[in-house]
């Protein structure tokens, strides 16, 4: 289950870290289905709890502060990656912010 290690700067907000640890301390950052506009397909990164399918072949693995993060090889990341917790009333959802090439 060990994959290539990645050396990117990850930032995990404290409330997101607590949320992730409570749910097993493993997250993955992948690509949502393409959102097509008139001429351009836009890549939309998503973050979710758990080990992704194809973890050993389609993702890079990074460990930070007791959390394992799988990053899709399909994402051409430029700069830091921030994982944070979106809340709306009682609903909580992880979100990710990053710059893509």
């Amino acid at each position: 289950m060990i994959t290539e290690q990645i050396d990117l700067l990850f930032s995990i907000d404290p409330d997101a870290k607590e949320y992730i640890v409570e749910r097993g301390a493993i997250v993955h950052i992948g690509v949502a289905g393409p959102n097509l506009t008139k001429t351009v397909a836009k890549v939309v990164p998503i973050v979710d709890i758990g080990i992704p399918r194809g973890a050993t072949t389609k993702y890079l693995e990074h460990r930070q502060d007791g959390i394992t993060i799988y990053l899709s090889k399909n994402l051409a990341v430029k700069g830091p990656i921030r994982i944070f917790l979106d809340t709306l009333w009682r609903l909580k959802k992880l979100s990710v912010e990053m710059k893509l090439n």
Side-chain angles (χ1 to χ4, degrees):
M1 194 181 312
I2 301 298
T3 60
E4 299 173 50
Q5 295 294 311
I6 52 177
D7 189 22
L8 293 173
L9 179 61
F10 281 91
S11 165
I12 304 172
D13 289 2
D15 52 344
K17 181 178 178 180
E18 181 180 334
Y19 184 85
I20 294 166
V21 168
E22 286 173 356
R23 286 156 180 79
I26 299 173
V27 295
H28 62 275
I29 301 171
V31 180
N35 291 332
L36 301 175
T37 60
K38 291 180 182 176
T39 58
V40 179
K42 183 178 179 186
V43 174
V44 178
I46 58 170
V47 62
D48 205 357
I49 297 290
I51 299 172
R53 288 188 201 163
T56 59
T57 57
K58 297 178 183 176
Y59 288 80
L60 301 173
E61 183 180 325
H62 177 75
R63 294 190 180 155
Q64 178 175 320
D65 299 329
I67 295 174
T68 302
I69 305 166
Y70 290 93
L71 179 66
S72 173
K73 291 180 180 180
N74 292 332
L75 289 170
V77 179
K78 178 181 174 183
I81 298 171
R82 177 178 168 242
I83 299 172
F84 59 98
L85 191 64
D86 269 342
T87 57
L88 176 64
W89 194 51
R90 291 184 171 176
L91 303 175
K92 295 180 181 181
K93 175 185 89 129
L94 288 175
S95 292
V96 63
E97 188 176 87
M98 66 178 76
K99 290 185 180 180
L100 300 172
N101 287 337

